[in-house]
Amino acid sequence: MPTLEKIQANIKKLQVQADALIAKKAQAAVDQIRQIMLTHGLTTEDIEARAKAKREANAANSSTSNVKVKVASSLKSKTPPKYRHPKTGATWTGHGRAPTWIAEAKDRSKFLITGAEATVTATVGTASKAKTVGKKAAAVAGAVGHRGQRTGPQPAKYLDPKTGATWSGRGPAPAWLAGAQDRAKFLIG
């Protein structure tokens, strides 16, 4: 029966063989590219100039909405959202455990997303996924994270029309909002 040392030695030998094959294939590709360049009289500067011109033309032709659509389609989830909360805009695909805002509802049909609305929701959802991916990448890169909690001053979420006082929605509610039956009329924008 082989020992751990023998298996590890075999792994190292196979890894050296794999590296040699990869280097051989890479060299063959470089040789083929070099031959094509010589046949057509091209230099690396020619190729880079052409690629740069193509990038600039693509940048000039595409609008920011096209870029957003491309990012959104690349981050598209497998299942688009099926339900949306009318007040908060939270969405649910209909798979997995139901969120509390829909779990308590007797009739889920009032939360269903229609066709055109689903397209907008999918785009918005993927944009938030893009932000999440960016945040995760920053956390991996060494940024200090706070488990999804924003730190420092928060943007105002509620506004008292009489006094102009604002509240971010974090911490205890101020007296002018705590006694209100419906907080929706105090929401900003």
Side-chain angles (χ1 to χ4, degrees):
M1 183 163 170
T3 64
L4 178 62
E5 291 80 19
K6 287 181 181 179
I7 293 172
Q8 288 175 337
N10 285 341
I11 290 173
K12 286 181 183 178
K13 189 179 358 175
L14 290 172
Q15 186 62 47
V16 168
Q17 289 176 353
D19 291 342
L21 286 173
I22 291 170
K24 188 176 180 180
K25 282 188 175 185
Q27 185 59 44
V30 169
D31 291 342
Q32 185 179 8
I33 292 168
R34 187 173 288 133
Q35 182 60 38
I36 292 170
M37 289 174 65
L38 288 173
T39 302
H40 296 284
L42 297 173
T43 64
T44 55
E45 289 82 19
D46 296 332
I47 295 169
E48 183 56 37
R50 191 98 194 252
K52 184 178 179 183
K54 191 171 183 179
R55 281 192 303 267
E56 289 172 354
N58 286 341
N61 290 337
S62 67
S63 64
T64 57
S65 63
N66 283 342
V67 172
K68 288 180 183 177
V69 170
K70 288 178 186 175
V71 169
S73 66
S74 68
L75 296 173
K76 197 174 216 179
S77 68
K78 294 178 183 174
T79 308
K82 188 174 180 183
Y83 301 96
R84 177 188 294 127
H85 190 277
K87 291 183 182 175
T88 64
T91 59
W92 180 51
T93 63
H95 297 284
R97 187 173 179 180
T100 55
W101 55 266
I102 198 166
E104 298 166 356
K106 291 181 181 178
D107 181 22
R108 293 184 177 181
S109 64
K110 63 184 179 181
F111 296 107
L112 278 173
I113 299 175
T114 60
E117 195 178 351
T119 306
V120 172
T121 302
T123 305
V124 171
T126 53
S128 65
K129 285 182 186 179
K131 290 178 185 176
T132 304
V133 168
K135 287 179 183 177
K136 286 182 180 178
V140 170
V144 177
H146 295 280
R147 297 188 180 157
Q149 300 289 330
R150 292 181 64 179
T151 58
Q154 303 297 310
K157 196 172 182 182
Y158 298 93
L159 172 70
D160 184 6
K162 294 178 185 173
T163 64
T166 60
W167 181 53
S168 67
R170 306 277 300 276
W176 55 268
L177 188 61
Q181 294 272 335
D182 181 22
R183 291 185 177 185
K185 62 184 176 183
F186 294 100
L187 280 172
I188 297 175

